[in-house]
Amino acid sequence: MSKKGLVERLNGGDNVIVAEGYLFEFERRGYLKAGTFVPEVVIEQPDLVKSLHEEYVHAGSDVTLAFTYYGHREKLKFIGREADIETLNVQALKIAKEVADKTGTLMAGNICNSTIYEKNNQEANDMAKAMFKEQIQWAVQYGADFIVAETFSDFGEASLALECVKQYGNGLPAVVSFITSNSDETLDGIPVVEACKRLEDAGAAVVGLNCGRGPRTMMPLVRKIRHACKGPIAALPVPYRTTVGQPTFQSLQDPETGKAVFPEDLPAFLCSRSQIVEFATEAKEVGVQYVGLCCGSSSHCLRVLAEVYGRQPPACKYSPDMSKHFMWGKDPHFKKYYTEGLRNEFLKEAI
Ligand SMILES: [Zn+2]
């Protein structure tokens, strides 16, 4: 039986849950450097990449996203590994394809902001285009079902990426998303809602937002995008407690020191599972069909999101049930010595 493609799923009214955040997860585990953020782990420890894909599918992802984010020529050149670019991309795609085939998930190729694009700089933009082209062609060659083009700050760069998917993507659908700063406009001055509309009109299968903002500050914009666009939209916030005054994870400051926490001290601002439930509930109600979590996410966050979207991925076998806890549970099996005695000791406020 052939699996349904991305567009078929979305047009049929299905939702597509997408695990992202590979860079942050591997940085946290000690296999990738914060700063350059290059997915060298694909070359150095391919088994770990495979394992993380499997873990995210286990937790509810419908998509196995090849880990080629920032595996582009500019980044590899910067760390002196330009010669490894094909090895890295091919390896990442093969791993993702293997997991996708085994699990029945969709395999996506991944391109992103080039970090060299500049409005009105033709030479830089030709280089960005060449970077998109080679990564898209590898994704096609190794069997991607669609292409994710993401974290664009400029409408111009997102348009260029979409143009490249159309030109070199052998008809594969494109999911194109913006990262928004503290402003609701792209860096090249287009309201992001309008930018999404234009990309949809230009043929993107899905448009929307990923990264940058947490659920609380991303959702007001997502609602406007839902209103403006006709087709499926994407929302993949970072799971951090951003605020109106500090709407992105780059702008979050430690209240005790006033210092920026991005990226090393971000864990203090992680969303609770309940806050992920709130996000997923709102996203579902708004009609976000392509939904997930970006940098900072991990499997337990994705699992609760999947549950709100009505799924029961294998990881739900181990979803929390505190009624079974010897101290917090109400079952008569448990001794009052613990459910009352010890529990009350833990609940006492320190004097
Ligand atoms: Zn991200």
Side-chain angles (χ1 to χ4, degrees):
M1 198 180 77
S2 67
K3 67 183 176 191
K4 280 204 279 181
L6 175 76
V7 173
E8 209 184 336
R9 291 182 195 203
L10 296 170
N11 287 348
D14 289 346
N15 300 305
V16 174
I17 295 171
V18 190
E20 288 223 26
Y22 289 94
L23 278 178
F24 266 49
E25 185 59 20
F26 277 119
E27 192 279 333
R28 196 174 67 84
R29 296 180 182 191
Y31 294 97
L32 193 152
K33 190 180 274 296
T36 51
F37 281 118
V38 184
E40 293 172 88
V41 64
V42 171
I43 300 173
E44 310 300 341
Q45 304 270 354
D47 288 350
L48 296 181
V49 177
K50 185 181 169 206
S51 162
L52 188 55
H53 283 316
E54 289 168 342
E55 183 182 313
Y56 284 161
V57 173
H58 178 75
S61 189
D62 295 319
V63 175
T64 304
L65 181 65
F67 191 20
T68 58
Y69 189 96
Y70 280 165
H72 61 47
R73 196 165 288 276
E74 165 65 15
K75 284 278 185 180
L76 284 157
K77 199 189 293 180
F78 184 68
I79 63 164
R81 297 193 74 164
E82 194 178 2
D84 291 330
I85 186 167
E86 186 163 357
T87 308
L88 187 152
N89 278 268
V90 170
Q91 184 107 294
L93 288 157
K94 281 184 173 172
I95 296 167
K97 181 70 177 161
E98 187 191 337
V99 174
D101 283 349
K102 198 173 76 180
T103 56
T105 52
L106 295 168
M107 195 274 264
N110 193 189
I111 60 173
C112 63
N113 56 311
S114 64
T115 75
I116 56 170
Y117 177 91
E118 235 180 322
K119 190 182 175 184
N120 302 326
N121 180 340
Q122 194 56 45
E123 195 190 341
N125 301 345
D126 287 346
M127 284 166 66
K129 186 174 179 182
M131 284 161 50
F132 293 147
K133 179 184 173 184
E134 63 186 355
Q135 284 196 293
I136 292 165
Q137 287 180 330
W138 283 317
V140 169
Q141 193 182 342
Y142 289 92
D145 295 301
F146 66 98
I147 305 287
V148 171
E150 61 179 347
T151 55
F152 297 110
S153 300
D154 280 87
F155 171 69
E157 189 175 27
S159 299
L160 183 63
L162 176 59
E163 194 183 295
C164 288
V165 177
K166 284 159 69 178
Q167 200 171 346
Y168 308 111
N170 197 30
L172 291 183
V175 175
V176 190
S177 52
F178 291 98
I179 180 170
T180 41
S181 65
N182 297 3
S183 149
D184 287 355
E185 285 192 356
T186 61
L187 189 56
D188 48 359
I190 315 279
V192 77
V193 176
E194 168 67 19
C196 285
K197 177 83 183 81
R198 288 193 202 175
L199 290 178
E200 178 179 66
D201 291 345
V206 181
V207 295
L209 306 178
N210 80 293
C211 212
R213 296 193 187 193
R216 201 173 288 163
T217 48
M218 181 181 277
M219 282 312 291
L221 210 43
V222 169
R223 283 183 181 274
K224 290 181 188 164
I225 294 169
R226 177 62 289 159
H227 193 67
C229 295
K230 294 188 291 285
I233 62 164
L236 297 95
V238 292
Y240 295 106
R241 301 175 183 214
T242 53
T243 63
V244 173
Q246 294 169 10
T248 64
F249 70 162
Q250 292 92 340
S251 61
L252 282 172
Q253 292 172 6
D254 188 312
E256 287 178 28
T257 62
K259 286 185 184 163
V261 295
F262 180 87
E264 290 158 80
D265 295 333
L266 277 167
F269 289 85
L270 271 173
C271 287
S272 64
R273 296 188 201 194
S274 307
Q275 288 170 324
I276 301 297
V277 169
E278 269 174 44
F279 158 65
T281 305
E282 187 178 354
K284 191 163 174 256
E285 179 255 315
V286 167
V288 175
Q289 275 182 277
Y290 186 98
V291 68
L293 295 164
C294 205
C295 307
S297 176
S298 45
S299 294
H300 66 281
C301 298
L302 196 76
R303 178 178 61 190
V304 291
L305 186 154
E307 286 174 340
V308 173
Y309 266 72
R311 304 291 185 80
Q312 283 289 306
C316 292
K317 181 180 175 189
Y318 299 109
S319 289
D321 180 0
M322 289 304 285
S323 73
K324 304 283 195 296
H325 191 273
F326 80 99
M327 193 162 65
W328 304 98
K330 298 274 187 283
D331 194 294
H333 171 81
F334 300 124
K335 292 179 173 7
K336 281 190 177 170
Y337 186 74
Y338 295 110
T339 56
E340 290 178 11
L342 186 57
R343 182 169 183 261
N344 291 340
E345 285 299 308
F346 275 103
L347 290 175
K348 262 187 201 163
E349 283 190 35
I351 300 160

